[in-house]
Amino acid sequence: MIRALFLIAFLMVCLSSSYYTIIGVQCLINAIAVLGLVLVSGYTRQIHLGQAAFIGLGAYTSAVLMSKVGMNFWLTIPCALLLSMLVGLLLGIPTLKLREGPYLAMVTQIFGEIIFVLLINMEGVTGGSYGLAGFGKPVIGSFRIDTKVKLLFLTTIFFIICFFITARVTRSKYGRFFISIRESQEAALSVGVNTTKFKLLAFVICSALGGLAGVFYSQCLGFLSPEQFRWNISLTLISMAIIGGIGDIDGGVLGAIVLTFLPELLRDFSAQWRMITYGVLLILVLTFLPDGVISLIGKKPSEIKKMLKERTELLFTDERAKRRKQLKKTIRT
């Protein structure tokens, strides 16, 4: 119920002006991509820095099939999903067998740069550095989705489907396997959990969500360029998940909305200052709200104050001095 009310309020804000409608579509696109990151980084604790590459794969797959082949928009969606899942599978098989270390982060970051180089050099297909435009719009019978308001509602429908599927996965036995991997891979292995298999499953789902987000990204902008899918975009997406609450799909969506609207509020500042703001916000959340902004939802002001106070004491109190103080107090008594 609360989610439905929040979604209605979000749509009302987006429909208040044409500008906010575009931002709303971008929020939902980012939210779909971040849902995948919550599965990989939040539930299996694997650092993923290549989601922008999968968004690029989905966007270019849909755009190229529509503009070069003349394929219907609806048929490009399964094509984009299948390609993203296949690439995710091939990328994840050798990487996710390693149980520890930042290997997935390194591989996915490099993969993002490889996709960027390919998009530039495959000029005959992707348009290279000149970009790609002129692809069609979704059509349902005689109804043409050719405005941002119509695209907002279409993206909302697909976001709800993705959210529902992701929520079902996290509440199923697969979600429990993911959590066991997050808590301790060694313990999960000791009770017979195939950690590689389930990490790979999470990564493939994440790749599919990235590809689907890319399909709607191409429709939102109407123009694609390789620079739109550099690895720094992946860093922004993982920041959304962390700030919202990377261990909770609701938190991931909240973070996507906050960090999509925030640059618009900071539009008068330079790109450098916007990045500094991102960094400071990320540090503050990691410091005082390790479970993300979502951890504040549903709490009373007194509870929030107490939580922040305890966190501050934990961070800034010298543990040895605290122990000495407790010991002296014990001796006196």
Side-chain angles (χ1 to χ4, degrees):
M1 186 64 180
I2 295 176
R3 291 169 178 165
L5 292 174
F6 179 81
L7 181 60
I8 292 171
F10 170 77
L11 291 175
M12 289 178 64
V13 171
C14 294
L15 294 172
S16 63
S17 71
S18 57
Y19 178 70
Y20 281 135
T21 301
I22 298 173
I23 303 303
V25 175
Q26 293 176 348
C27 280
L28 294 171
I29 291 169
N30 289 335
I32 292 172
V34 170
L35 284 175
L37 289 175
V38 170
L39 281 181
V40 172
S41 299
Y43 274 80
T44 64
R45 196 169 285 177
Q46 306 296 308
I47 303 174
H48 185 0
L49 296 179
Q51 187 70 327
F54 289 99
I55 295 175
L57 279 176
Y60 270 95
T61 298
S62 178
V64 168
L65 289 176
M66 292 181 72
S67 60
K68 306 286 185 181
V69 183
M71 186 179 288
N72 184 284
F73 168 80
W74 304 106
L75 294 178
T76 68
I77 293 178
C79 293
L81 288 174
L82 288 173
L83 179 61
S84 300
M85 292 171 70
L86 178 61
V87 173
L89 184 66
L90 295 176
L91 187 66
I93 286 174
T95 308
L96 293 172
K97 287 183 179 180
L98 302 170
R99 285 190 293 165
E100 297 179 356
Y103 301 108
L104 184 64
M106 296 170 61
V107 170
T108 50
Q109 182 180 347
I110 294 169
F111 171 71
E113 291 303 299
I114 291 172
I115 293 297
F116 169 72
V117 173
L118 288 175
L119 291 176
I120 287 181
N121 287 280
M122 295 175 64
E123 192 170 321
V125 178
T126 65
S129 58
Y130 295 102
L132 185 65
F135 32 92
K137 299 294 182 181
V139 177
I140 306 175
S142 60
F143 183 73
R144 184 177 174 84
I145 302 174
D146 53 359
T147 67
K148 296 303 180 187
V149 172
K150 295 176 182 176
L151 183 61
L152 174 66
F153 285 106
L154 178 63
T155 311
T156 301
I157 293 170
F158 274 85
F159 163 73
I160 292 172
I161 294 171
C162 292
F163 185 90
F164 176 76
I165 292 173
T166 307
R168 288 295 299 269
V169 169
T170 57
R171 292 169 186 166
S172 68
K173 63 178 182 179
Y174 299 107
R176 292 191 289 273
F177 288 141
F178 294 158
I179 293 173
S180 69
I181 294 170
R182 178 183 68 190
E183 298 302 321
S184 173
Q185 290 195 51
E186 289 74 16
L189 283 169
S190 68
V191 294
V193 176
N194 188 335
T195 57
T196 301
K197 171 185 173 182
F198 290 108
K199 285 191 294 182
L200 187 60
L201 175 62
F203 190 71
V204 170
I205 295 173
C206 177
S207 303
L209 290 170
L212 181 62
V215 172
F216 289 99
Y217 185 86
S218 64
Q219 289 295 319
C220 178
L221 295 186
F223 174 80
L224 297 178
S225 175
E227 287 77 13
Q228 296 167 338
F229 307 106
R230 298 297 298 271
W231 80 273
N232 59 306
I233 306 300
S234 297
L235 193 60
T236 301
L237 291 170
I238 196 69
S239 299
M240 291 175 180
I242 293 171
I243 287 174
I246 200 165
D248 190 310
I249 57 174
D250 292 306
V253 172
L254 179 61
I257 293 173
V258 169
L259 281 194
T260 304
F261 270 101
L262 184 61
E264 307 312 315
L265 300 177
L266 301 174
R267 183 59 62 187
D268 294 334
F269 294 90
S270 64
Q272 290 83 358
W273 279 106
R274 288 201 296 272
M275 291 305 296
I276 290 173
T277 303
Y278 283 154
V280 171
L281 184 60
L282 188 60
I283 291 170
L284 289 175
V285 170
L286 287 173
T287 302
F288 296 101
L289 300 171
D291 295 324
V293 178
I294 195 69
S295 62
L296 299 177
I297 305 298
K299 285 187 171 62
K300 298 178 182 178
S302 58
E303 293 175 331
I304 295 174
K305 183 178 179 181
K306 181 181 178 182
M307 181 178 68
L308 295 177
K309 182 180 178 181
E310 290 176 351
R311 188 66 186 172
T312 303
E313 290 177 351
L314 179 65
L315 290 169
F316 298 106
T317 302
D318 186 347
E319 190 65 28
R320 288 177 297 181
K322 187 176 180 180
R323 289 178 181 177
R324 286 196 298 268
K325 186 177 179 180
Q326 290 176 342
L327 180 60
K328 289 179 181 178
K329 186 177 179 180
T330 304
I331 293 172
R332 289 194 190 114
T333 56

